[in-house]
Amino acid sequence: QVQLVESGGGLVQAGGSLRLSCAASGRTFSTYTMGWFRQAPGMEREFVAAIRRSFGDTAYNTYYADSVKGRFTCSRDNAKNTVYLQMNSLKPEDTAVYYCAADSRGLYTVNPEGYDYWGQGTQVTVSS
């Protein structure tokens, strides 16, 4: 079983920044699509961002929810088995538990059901 561990959450003021990290086990990490989701109290789990594998001579393909596009950046370091979510210009509505997820198929989907491994989540709170 692939293990995912998120870190980097915390409390920030509106307009501030955080960088979330997700450390993954497994030797096939580089082939996985990695996703970020968030869930606020009383809300459904929501897609935030995803990053696909590298194809050797091309850049990683990244995808973002409209609500975070231009503010958040997803990246990965396969040598460290780690994916990152850089969050800038944070807003109170970004407050949620953020989850890292992995899709071993290496495909892309915004549907949580398409991801087969999940971390425990890290709390992000943005104050007004």
Side-chain angles (χ1 to χ4, degrees), residues 7-9 17-21 73 75 84-88 90:
S7 62
S17 297
L18 285 173
R19 188 178 75 160
L20 305 184
S21 298
T73 303
S75 61
Y84 304 95
L85 185 68
Q86 178 66 47
M87 306 186 296
N88 298 327
L90 283 162

Side-chain angles (χ1 to χ4, degrees), residues 34-37 47-51 63-65 68 72-74 85 115:
M34 301 298 297
W36 288 98
F37 292 78
F47 171 78
V48 176
I51 184 165
Y63 309 87
Y64 300 95
V68 306
F72 291 10
T73 303
C74 188
L85 185 68
Y115 293 80

